[in-house]
Amino acid sequence: MSGPSDFQPTNPALKWIERRLPIMGLMHSSFVAYPTPRNLNYWWTFGAILSFMLGVQILTGVILAMHYTPHADMAFKSVELIVRDVNYGWLLRNIHASGASMFFFAVYIHMFRGLYYGSYKEPREVLWILGVIIYLLMMATGFMGYVLPWGQMSFWGATVITNLFSAVPYFGESIVTLLWGGYAVGNPTLNRFFSLHYLLPFVIAGVVVLHIWALHVAGQNNPAGVEAKTEKDTVPFTPYATMKDMFGVSCFLLFFAWFIFYMPNYLGDPENYIPANPAVTPAHIVPEWYYLPFYAILRSIPNKLAGVVAMFGAIIILAFLPWLDSAKTRSSKYRPLAKQFFWMFVVVCIGLGYLGAQPPEGIYVIVGRILTFLYFAYFLILLPLLARIEKPRPVPNSIADDVLAKTGGKPAPMVSTVIALMVAGGLFLGGAETARAAEGSTKPPAQKWSFSGPFGKFDRGAMQRGLKVYKEVCASCHGLSFVAFRNLAEAGGPGYSVAQAQAFASEYKVKDGPNDQGEMFERPGRPADYFPSPFPNEQAARAANGGAFPPDLSLITKARSYSRGFPMFLIDFFTQYQEQGPDYVTALLQGYEDKPPAGFNLPEGSYYNTYFPGHAIKMPKPLNDGQVTYDDGSPATVAQYAKDVTHFLMWAAEPHMEARKQLGLQVFVFLILLTVLLYFTKKKVWANAH
Amino acid sequence: MVPLVSQMNPDASTVAAGAPIEVDLTPIAEGQDIKVFWRGKPIYISHRTKKQIEEARAVSVSSLPDPQSDEQRVKPGHDQWLVVVGICTHLGCIPIAHEGQYDGFFCPCHGSVYDTSGRIRQGPAPTNLAVPPYTFVSDTKIQIG
């Protein structure tokens, strides 16, 4: 894209094509011969990482769409079927779901890099604005994608975000009705979101092409912020930039794979494992972490319309950055004041993100307002002012000079900034975590589970005992509707044989039909049948249980959680602790007290439970010592029952967990080898450039 | 790569739903036939008349496009029962029973004609109608699959 190429293919067939469509010349001049500044650091590899992530998201997204059903009644179930039944469906879904977070993570680094090194300044204004457009499109796509699984957070997130448009004067309500295709978020909303979620990534890809085109016209910016002038300032894209980018992508993949294989639910909300219920709003509506700063801005402004304007303004303002910051010096390296304020701005953004996850009350509101002011002040007051009063340090004459000057002392600050950013980012994620805290409950004690950690495996004995407890106790009120009898014989399951699963199934009566006479009939269960639910519908379940609805237990260990608090959630990322759900379920089953503590007002028909949020639970104490007979000599105690049934339910919630962890190990061994190889290749390639 | 391709195969619930089915033959009178579905495919179960069986056995096997004797296509001792997959071997349409000049099946899409044993006699289809795996559980009940 930088002028006519001198690329001449030698093969006559290729020559023939090239004369008619010079596509190879275009590729050659754009991605092989294209001169890149030789002083680019690793922050510049995030462009390649982002292109890679877009490709990954589109590929996995197209595949998931082959199995997904965009219907309000079936969407949640179809996602569960993808994870449970489709070959490698769990892997594809984990990639796509954590991929969205990784995409945003990379784009934020990419944007902050542009901000720090002044990549938006003349002549790269259009390049920057295209980037802002991509970011806006990404936000829309990410939001609509989050709605598709149709869990509680999906549904209420959709409700809250679409309601933003109701702030528009006069037309607000009609716009919202138009977005919904109904009088509330419902099936038409889900359908159109699916359609648009499929479309927008291709629009993004189109704008990315423009973004790269604009980049190749203006040339890349670089850490020194001076334009490349001579041959000495640049190196050809291939092999130099290609090798460096590949190494960067490979490092990023290691980070990405940690989430895919070991922490797939770390960034997600447990609430989204509960199917959407238009009658109940979750206690805390928290958007995905990547929207939190803007959510905080929205909530800090007490006026509805002004809040929405501020939130969108916070993004749109980026597009005006090239004109707000009129300083001649590009790189903050040579701007002593701008550099400090940049880092403060980063802290402000992370602070806003943290606040976005907190309940909007007390001190959080005041701090939120201060940070919102600081956010806008950075763009509207500080940058224009700095451009006038700051005295920048002299910039190097050329890129080559910059490179030569650097070879002296190895600068260490890069490492420390990475560490600082990781800690700050952790804090930010922790904010999201805290918001999920179930108030008014005691933290359940952490248990030892055989399935925790990177090599965790289920304990077959515990699962078989747990199944017995479920069947004899829980099943009278709670369904297990996503688990089929055939699952009992699958690898990674409770270890029954196919014949045993078949025998187990035949003990159940399953409703089938209609037969030739048009009547429903009962027959013995088959392996393909799912565990029958104890009640025909929610109303019947409520009527039989004093108004409370006993939740389905298929996903209960993933749908329940509790706050780990700072700094535990940070440590959890490295230790892969993710057993909040099982800990909670076990604790709940044992947490009954005969007498509530003095002063606690227990409502009629409720029971006191130490671990239940609010302590008043409708479920009577389900387990008693000796209630279930074990054949293998394990103690018939409540503690043992609770642990066994939780063990079984953890498997029910994620039947392919063992496969996930095993494949994770293989992928990590491969990625580490690849990264090491790429590192040395890159070093070899760059050896003659320094 | 493997996951990307492998995900296109039938998922576990589809595979499980393809388990064998049992069909009760008592309601099918002589000369009648029924259609049942197994793994998404229509299966014709015909209770053939004496005449139809004789017709099927009278023809010389070597003169057929896909030579197979009627005895090879039914279970011994249950000669009156013909069980075939009701999918034309040409391009997958469903042939109509009791049509065509051989009193067997006739495919309306491209005019393939099958006889009372489900063997191809005329038209573009290359092979006989397939016989699905099945066994007689009792004299009046078969298990398909």
Side-chain angles (χ1 to χ4, degrees):
Chain A
M1 297 182 198
S2 49
S5 168
D6 50 1
F7 179 71
Q8 275 306 326
T10 44
N11 183 308
L14 294 181
K15 249 185 197 156
W16 187 90
I17 297 170
E18 190 68 8
R19 265 188 62 202
R20 285 151 183 87
L21 180 74
I23 187 161
M24 283 165 283
L26 181 72
M27 289 297 141
H28 185 263
S29 59
S30 306
F31 301 110
V32 179
Y34 176 73
T36 68
R38 56 191 290 180
N39 60 342
L40 295 185
N41 56 32
Y42 277 107
W43 299 118
W44 260 264
T45 57
F46 278 86
I49 289 170
L50 282 163
S51 316
F52 173 78
M53 283 310 301
L54 180 62
V56 167
Q57 289 300 85
I58 290 182
L59 184 69
T60 52
V62 167
I63 288 173
L64 289 173
M66 294 179 190
H67 304 283
Y68 171 77
T69 315
H71 186 283
D73 295 338
M74 291 177 270
F76 189 88
K77 186 160 193 197
S78 76
V79 172
E80 273 310 307
L81 292 186
I82 289 175
V83 173
R84 288 159 190 269
D85 286 343
V86 174
N87 299 336
Y88 295 99
W90 58 269
L91 172 64
L92 296 160
R93 191 203 173 200
N94 284 357
I95 293 177
H96 198 71
S98 19
S101 280
M102 294 300 108
F103 203 161
F104 276 96
F105 175 75
V107 92
Y108 284 131
I109 292 181
H110 194 64
M111 286 162 76
F112 277 124
R113 190 268 287 150
L115 213 56
Y116 184 82
Y117 292 111
S119 299
Y120 47 85
K121 288 172 192 280
E122 200 273 320
R124 297 186 181 86
E125 297 94 331
V126 172
L127 171 63
W128 174 261
I129 291 169
L130 285 168
V132 175
I133 293 172
I134 293 173
Y135 176 55
L136 274 171
L137 286 170
M138 273 176 67
M139 292 185 102
T141 313
F143 158 64
M144 287 191 276
Y146 192 61
V147 173
L148 301 185
W150 213 240
Q152 271 291 66
M153 261 317 149
S154 301
F155 183 87
W156 292 101
T159 304
V160 169
I161 302 297
T162 46
N163 265 314
L164 290 178
F165 293 91
S166 69
V168 177
Y170 306 117
F171 311 110
E173 291 299 324
S174 357
I175 293 177
V176 173
T177 312
L178 188 78
L179 288 175
W180 288 340
Y183 303 109
V185 172
N187 191 47
T189 325
L190 176 61
N191 249 309
R192 63 192 58 184
F193 277 18
F194 177 59
S195 166
L196 292 173
H197 182 71
Y198 203 106
L199 166 73
L200 286 185
F202 297 97
V203 178
I204 293 178
V207 184
V208 165
V209 170
L210 296 181
H211 190 68
I212 295 173
W213 186 7
L215 172 74
H216 284 210
V217 170
Q220 279 167 293
N221 185 28
N222 60 76
V226 292
E227 295 296 332
K229 293 181 195 102
T230 60
E231 285 270 300
K232 277 167 80 184
D233 291 342
T234 62
V235 288
F237 192 89
T238 303
Y240 294 95
T242 357
M243 277 323 297
K244 199 166 177 170
D245 284 347
M246 275 166 76
F247 174 62
V249 168
S250 162
C251 289
F252 191 78
L253 272 177
L254 275 170
F255 181 62
F256 187 12
W258 188 263
F259 285 98
I260 298 171
F261 294 104
Y262 295 123
M263 309 291 283
N265 295 311
Y266 187 70
L267 297 166
D269 197 309
E271 200 77 38
N272 225 23
Y273 279 111
I274 304 171
N277 181 352
V280 184
T281 309
H284 293 284
I285 302 259
V286 191
E288 288 290 82
W289 69 267
Y290 34 87
Y291 302 127
L292 287 174
F294 302 103
Y295 194 59
I297 291 177
L298 169 78
R299 296 196 309 189
S300 346
I301 297 188
N303 174 292
K304 184 173 175 180
L305 177 60
V308 174
V309 169
M311 189 185 81
F312 283 108
I315 304 165
I316 303 299
I317 201 166
L318 292 169
F320 295 95
L321 193 57
W323 296 277
L324 290 169
D325 176 15
S326 54
K328 287 279 170 293
T329 312
R330 279 204 195 96
S331 172
S332 293
K333 253 169 96 179
Y334 306 105
R335 299 178 62 188
L337 288 175
K339 188 186 203 164
Q340 287 174 30
F341 282 113
F342 168 81
W343 288 112
M344 281 184 213
F345 177 69
V346 174
V347 172
V348 166
C349 290
I350 292 170
L352 278 171
Y354 177 76
L355 291 172
Q358 302 307 315
E361 54 200 25
I363 183 80
Y364 295 129
V365 179
I366 300 161
V367 180
R369 288 188 187 150
I370 297 171
L371 293 188
T372 303
F373 172 77
L374 291 177
Y375 180 93
F376 285 103
Y378 178 75
F379 291 108
L380 295 174
I381 304 172
L382 193 81
L383 285 179
L385 196 67
L386 277 184
R388 281 167 187 83
I389 61 166
E390 187 184 28
K391 242 181 98 69
R393 292 196 285 122
V395 297
N397 278 327
S398 70
I399 293 172
D401 285 1
D402 180 49
V403 173
L404 287 175
K406 224 193 287 177
T407 31
K410 276 275 170 209
M414 172 113 165
V415 182
S416 56
T417 35
V418 170
I419 292 169
L421 273 176
M422 276 175 85
V423 171
L427 214 131
F428 176 93
L429 291 174
E433 190 90 347
T434 335
R436 296 173 201 142
E439 275 126 7
S441 57
T442 317
K443 270 185 199 178
Q447 304 274 347
K448 265 195 98 67
W449 298 105
S450 69
F451 50 78
S452 65
F455 308 107
K457 276 195 190 321
F458 288 118
D459 173 349
R460 313 281 160 224
M463 279 155 85
Q464 298 191 353
R465 293 193 298 272
L467 173 62
K468 195 156 193 243
V469 175
Y470 168 77
K471 194 185 166 193
E472 292 180 15
V473 184
C474 318
S476 56
C477 296
H478 294 276
L480 198 63
S481 53
F482 292 128
V483 181
F485 298 119
R486 63 184 154 84
N487 295 139
L488 298 173
E490 276 167 13
Y496 287 110
S497 69
V498 175
Q500 279 172 314
Q502 201 154 11
F504 188 89
S506 62
E507 290 170 22
Y508 282 81
K509 287 267 166 278
V510 175
K511 213 172 184 146
D512 201 353
N515 61 12
D516 293 344
Q517 280 74 46
E519 281 153 13
M520 305 301 282
F521 58 94
E522 280 199 337
R523 58 161 174 79
R526 296 179 189 141
D529 291 320
Y530 289 81
F531 274 85
S533 294
F535 301 104
N537 51 53
E538 185 180 333
Q539 283 77 359
R542 282 190 191 277
N545 287 284
F549 179 44
D552 193 274
L553 296 184
S554 315
L555 284 165
I556 201 80
T557 52
K558 287 211 272 183
R560 295 290 182 273
S561 187
Y562 64 91
S563 162
R564 295 278 286 166
F566 184 84
M568 276 318 285
F569 65 85
L570 263 185
I571 299 168
D572 291 346
F573 174 73
F574 297 100
T575 58
Q576 300 182 358
Y577 176 82
Q578 48 197 327
E579 280 77 36
Q580 288 101 323
D583 284 351
Y584 170 80
V585 174
T586 318
L588 182 97
L589 291 172
Q590 304 174 62
Y592 283 86
E593 300 286 344
D594 293 337
K595 275 199 206 94
F600 185 83
N601 190 11
L602 195 67
E604 186 74 24
S606 295
Y607 304 87
Y608 187 85
N609 191 303
T610 319
Y611 302 104
F612 190 69
H615 300 305
I617 188 168
K618 288 270 190 177
M619 172 170 76
K621 188 168 189 268
L623 296 168
N624 291 296
D625 287 344
Q627 192 175 358
V628 181
T629 323
Y630 281 154
D631 311 327
D632 64 354
S634 300
T637 58
V638 171
Q640 187 67 32
Y641 293 154
K643 251 201 117 169
D644 288 344
V645 78
T646 309
H647 208 112
F648 169 70
L649 290 175
M650 187 64 225
W651 165 78
E654 199 185 347
H656 296 303
M657 194 192 74
E658 290 189 359
R660 163 165 72 84
K661 289 180 173 176
Q662 274 162 20
L663 188 60
L665 185 68
Q666 295 167 14
V667 167
F668 262 88
V669 170
F670 169 77
L671 277 180
I672 289 170
L673 284 176
L674 179 76
T675 310
V676 170
L677 277 176
L678 283 172
Y679 176 73
F680 287 110
T681 319
K682 183 246 150 197
K683 218 174 159 182
K684 188 119 202 275
V685 165
W686 279 80
N688 39 1
H690 285 307
Chain B
M1 271 312 286
V2 173
L4 298 184
V5 178
S6 163
Q7 55 85 21
M8 303 268 289
N9 269 320
D11 67 34
S13 64
T14 313
V15 172
I21 56 164
E22 286 190 348
V23 182
D24 182 16
L25 304 177
T26 31
I28 313 168
E30 197 173 288
Q32 269 192 338
D33 56 336
I34 63 160
K35 214 192 297 184
V36 296
F37 275 86
W38 177 65
R39 293 197 170 169
K41 293 175 185 162
I43 311 283
Y44 276 114
I45 304 171
S46 306
H47 191 168
R48 302 188 290 179
T49 57
K50 283 253 151 44
K51 182 172 160 274
Q52 284 179 313
I53 300 171
E54 276 159 21
E55 271 173 21
R57 301 201 167 168
V59 64
S60 119
V61 172
S62 56
S63 70
L64 296 170
D66 181 12
Q68 218 176 8
S69 72
D70 186 56
E71 285 84 351
Q72 286 172 294
R73 298 177 55 79
V74 295
K75 300 285 170 196
H78 301 284
D79 295 339
Q80 71 273 40
W81 296 105
L82 175 71
V83 181
V84 287
V85 177
I87 292 179
C88 180
T89 54
H90 181 217
L91 292 170
C93 294
I94 298 181
I96 305 163
H98 297 299
E99 290 233 354
Q101 71 227 60
Y102 297 96
D103 194 22
F105 304 87
F106 170 73
C107 181
C109 289
H110 306 98
S112 292
V113 187
Y114 300 87
D115 65 12
T116 53
S117 187
R119 291 171 298 195
I120 180 68
R121 299 296 285 270
Q122 192 185 313
T127 55
N128 303 334
L129 292 179
V131 176
Y134 72 99
T135 48
F136 275 85
V137 184
S138 67
D139 271 354
T140 58
K141 201 173 225 181
I142 58 167
Q143 185 188 31
I144 301 176

